[in-house]
Amino acid sequence: MASLPITPWPTEQAEIVPLPRPRLVAVETAAQPAVAAARLSVLEWSIVALAERDSIASLREPGRIAAALESLFGLHRPNKLANPRLEVLRRLAVFVWRQGWKVPKSELQAFLAEGFTLDHYELVQASIAASRNPALKRGSIR
C-alpha cells in the first residue's frame, strides 16, 4: 500500500496579513443597452394569419395509404412553405391557433433554432389571443 509522506505541523505561528477592505463601486443602470422589442415582418404576419385555416393534421406527413387516398379522391393538403423559417413559423402558429399555449416542446425548439426568440413567441401568442377575444382588441381588459 502506498502513502504520502506526512510533514510535521509547523511549530511557529504564521504571520497574519490583513486583507484590504472591499470598496463599493456604483453601477450605472442607464448604461445598459435597451433590448429591442420583438417584431415580425408583414410576410411573417401573413403566415400567422394564414395558419388560422390550417388544421393540426396539415402538420403531419401523410402515410402511403393516406397519400394514395388523397390522389384517388383528389383531396388537397396544404403545401409546406419553401422557406424553412416561414414553415417553422406556420407550424407554430397552427399549434397556437388550435391549442393555445399547449405548443409541443419540439416545435418551440425548432422555432428558436430558426432565429426567433421567446419574445417573438409571446408576440404571436398575444396577437392570436387578441384576435380571438374582442375585449382584448378594444383594450378593455387590464
Side-chain angles (χ1 to χ4, degrees), residues 67 131 137:
S131 68
K137 284 182 185 176

Side-chain angles (χ1 to χ4, degrees), residues 5-7 14 20 38 40-43 45 49-50 53 55 65-66 76 81 89-90 95 106 119-121 132 137 142:
I6 298 176
T7 58
L40 294 177
S41 69
V42 175
L43 176 62
W45 279 121
L50 289 174
R53 291 189 236 150
S55 67
I65 296 174
H76 174 69
L81 299 174
L89 177 62
R90 182 189 76 86
F95 276 111
S106 60
D119 290 336
H120 288 112
Y121 174 63
R132 284 188 186 143
K137 284 182 185 176
R142 294 177 193 185

Side-chain angles (χ1 to χ4, degrees), residues 10-140:
T11 57
E12 304 169 1
Q13 206 158 36
E15 182 182 333
I16 298 175
V17 179
L19 295 175
R21 298 182 85 199
R23 256 182 344 139
L24 295 178
V25 179
V27 177
E28 300 263 343
T29 56
Q32 296 176 356
V35 177
R39 294 179 181 254
L40 294 177
S41 69
V42 175
L43 176 62
E44 291 168 339
W45 279 121
S46 66
I47 298 300
V48 172
L50 289 174
E52 183 179 10
R53 291 189 236 150
D54 294 343
S55 67
I56 297 289
S58 71
L59 303 178
R60 291 189 286 261
E61 291 292 325
R64 289 185 298 166
I65 296 174
L69 289 174
E70 286 173 2
S71 65
L72 181 65
F73 293 109
L75 300 175
H76 174 69
R77 295 177 58 89
N79 292 331
K80 286 185 178 181
L81 299 174
N83 186 329
R85 180 177 165 90
L86 295 178
E87 176 61 19
V88 166
L89 177 62
R90 182 189 76 86
R91 292 179 62 85
L92 182 99
V94 168
F95 276 111
V96 173
W97 278 112
R98 300 290 171 234
Q99 298 178 346
W101 286 94
K102 294 184 276 184
V103 175
K105 187 176 182 179
S106 60
E107 292 295 330
L108 187 56
Q109 288 172 341
F111 183 73
L112 296 174
E114 281 296 328
F116 291 104
T117 64
L118 289 176
D119 290 336
H120 288 112
Y121 174 63
E122 290 178 5
L123 180 65
V124 170
Q125 285 281 5
S127 172
I128 291 174
S131 68
R132 284 188 186 143
N133 190 348
L136 289 176
K137 284 182 185 176
R138 293 191 304 265
S140 62

